[in-house]
Amino acid sequence: PPSPPAAPPPARVPLCHQYLPPTATNTTVRLAALRDTMRAHGVRAYIVPSTDAHMSEYIAERDSRLGWLSGFTGSAGTGVVTQDKAALWTDSRYWTQAERQLDCNWELQRTTWIESIGLWILEAVPVGGNISLDPFLFSIDTWNSYSRALHGSGRTLLPIETNLVDQVWGDQRPPPASSEIYILPAAFTGSSWQEKVAGIRQQMEQHVRRPTAVLLSGLEETAWLFNLRGDDIPYNPVFYSYTLLTKTTISLFVDEVRLSAAARQSLRAGCPGPLCVELQQYGQARAHLRRYAQGNVTVWLGTEFTTYGLYGVIPQEKLLEDSYSPVMLAKAVKNAKEQDLLRAAHVRDAVAVIQYLLWLEKTVPQGQVDEFSGAQHIDALRQAQEHSRGPSFQSISASG
């Protein structure tokens, strides 16, 4: 066997690391490991986004690749790593946070334009170099924007299906979600999932292009369609899944063992038949879609939530593209029952906020409240209200 490569010299702590705020993460070792992996794949620059394979704005710890690699935990950002540089782009909400979380291996770019990321890459990567990304973490539109930014520059945009950050993260990466996927009680749904499916199929029938299938990639689309909920992502009642809905079949790609008995029963009640949900492994969505796309079919999808990795297996002439899928649009229109439920939820929340304001009036003059204990208190007041499932995001608490 070939002799093992010589061990690299011990990493020196850069001088600037000795003066970093305590909130910064030392990323020297992580970046070195990623750069080794990049070299092994022949990659000169690697783009790391802050989203997951479903284009979610808020993500699970397991998908927080940019956070793990850079230390920056804001909800929006893009990182690019080359052999000798690392840069992070984020918007003005996060500049202060990024300054405190990034170490001196990273340069902060105060913009989010893909054009500016492209220009930086063109400066950092010589002609002939490969720029790589994971095709399952970029929407079609974002992929096209990078393509345009690098077009004709002599550099190649190269999708690699193995995520290089995951390779380096290894067994330190948090495990996949394992909690139960449950049914939303009928009292909280505007209509049954069978009615929703019928409505979408009717739209397919009436569409001038007569699509044969609808592909759902956004996590809230599948959750809404089947009246199911989970907690795979903090503060978001969703679970990892894809759905392929045709005129006669329904395929739900999900970790089947996590479905509650009632959820499984609800999905399988119409079997066999056009209202039978076939459960398939979450990881099989792409292979299934590829097989389906070989037939005489037209797949309707929303480009905002579909990744380039999935989109790429469907021949262009078999695609019907909108910004949003018909499910996303149907979900946005609330029926009378849903409107009543929304109003009732706002009334309950208003009660909690009024209780909080009253409590603040009494306790702030005593000097007993800080921003953190205040946030904890309003969370508790909300939790005490009927039907509470927790806050929709971490309470943002500030004073002065």
Side-chain angles (χ1 to χ4, degrees), residues 217-239:
S217 291
L219 296 182
E220 64 265 43
E221 299 181 285
T222 289
W224 177 85
L225 185 65
F226 296 115
N227 293 328
L228 295 176
R229 297 291 184 268
D231 57 4
D232 293 10
I233 296 177
Y235 308 109
N236 292 264
V238 294
F239 51 92

Side-chain angles (χ1 to χ4, degrees), residues 261-316:
R264 187 185 304 260
Q265 200 181 339
S266 161
L267 297 171
R268 307 290 292 161
C271 297
L275 286 173
C276 166
V277 179
E278 292 164 32
L279 298 172
Q280 311 220 26
Q281 275 306 312
Y282 171 77
Q284 290 300 306
R286 186 178 189 226
H288 182 95
L289 185 63
R290 173 173 267 147
R291 281 195 301 276
Y292 180 78
Q294 287 166 358
N296 180 21
V297 298
T298 304
V299 180
W300 193 1
L301 52 78
T303 55
E304 291 280 332
F305 287 88
T306 308
T307 64
Y308 179 76
L310 268 191
Y311 173 91
V313 304
I314 310 167
Q316 196 65 41

